[in-house]
Amino acid sequence: MEVVLSAEWRRRLSDALGEAQRIGMLGQESLDSVIDRSLGFVKSIPASTLDVIDVGSGGGDPGLVIAVCCPELSVTLVDRRAKRTDLLSRLVGRLGLADRVEVLEADVALLPRRYPGRHWDVVTSRGFGSPAYTAAHTSVLLRNGGRMLVSEPPASNGDRWRTPEVESLGMFIEAVEYGVARLVKKS
């Protein structure tokens, strides 16, 4: 997927993410680097995608960047902490995304019970847990054929996702590109 982010949108995202950074919801990395890392997620989203759920959304990285760069997508941002979801709701409003971005205060482990039968095309996560834990809690949120996109350490080839625990959930690594591991859910 080609990514076009205008200077104006980069500035607006920097302002929004800067607020999250000032109150401790993002590390001290430069906001340009945060946005550029999030663009790796955007590039990894399949063209056929209609909806994305970002779990552990925290200060909005990568969820807000995805929402800005992909105006055709419905985006759900999930975090279990009210302080974070309150900020995310304000930032979604400030960026003019409220018509297609939903913010949920929820524990990801409880989403299938809270929203039975609801599934997404893509699940994104920056740092949610071990591969087995991440796959267990995200695979149930995906449609068959859906993708999980998760941050990978530098120089990773995705081998940490090739485990019996992950594969038993129907999750299989496709590629690691742009600092993002892309797994597909097969029935």
Side-chain angles (χ1 to χ4, degrees):
M1 168 185 277
E2 183 180 337
V3 178
V4 179
L5 182 61
S6 71
E8 174 63 15
W9 272 112
R10 185 175 278 272
R11 183 195 62 73
R12 291 180 69 189
L13 278 167
S14 286
D15 288 347
L17 295 172
E19 185 174 337
Q21 191 176 57
R22 280 188 294 283
I23 60 177
M25 292 184 192
L26 286 176
Q28 293 305 308
E29 182 179 10
S30 82
L31 294 172
D32 277 333
S33 294
V34 170
I35 292 169
D36 289 341
R37 181 182 57 242
S38 292
L39 292 175
F41 282 86
V42 175
K43 292 175 187 176
S44 299
I45 295 172
S48 61
T49 300
L50 299 176
D51 50 17
V52 172
I53 183 170
D54 180 44
V55 296
S57 294
D61 164 32
L64 290 175
V65 177
I66 291 168
V68 164
C69 291
C70 304
E72 71 284 2
L73 296 181
S74 171
V75 178
T76 304
L77 307 176
V78 179
D79 203 281
R80 65 182 174 170
R81 295 185 179 104
K83 181 179 177 183
R84 291 179 179 188
T85 56
D86 290 347
L87 174 67
L88 288 169
S89 293
R90 287 194 311 276
L91 296 178
V92 164
R94 181 190 307 168
L95 293 168
L97 304 171
D99 62 325
R100 60 185 184 77
V101 177
E102 174 183 27
V103 178
L104 300 176
E105 179 188 341
D107 186 315
V108 173
L110 302 177
L111 283 175
R113 282 186 278 174
R114 192 166 161 191
Y115 300 97
R118 188 162 179 196
H119 297 94
W120 288 263
D121 292 326
V122 171
V123 175
T124 61
S125 174
R126 277 203 44 233
F128 190 68
S130 71
Y133 182 86
T134 301
H137 287 88
T138 60
S139 64
V140 296
L141 303 175
L142 283 170
R143 292 181 178 92
N144 283 333
R147 302 300 193 278
M148 178 179 71
L149 308 177
V150 63
S151 295
E152 273 299 279
S156 172
N157 63 3
D159 278 347
R160 69 189 192 120
W161 297 98
R162 292 179 179 93
T163 68
E165 296 87 4
V166 171
E167 292 176 355
S168 71
L169 297 164
M171 301 295 292
F172 299 91
I173 186 82
E174 285 185 318
V176 176
E177 299 176 299
Y178 319 113
V180 175
R182 186 177 67 241
L183 287 86
V184 63
K185 179 180 179 179
K186 297 181 180 177
S187 55

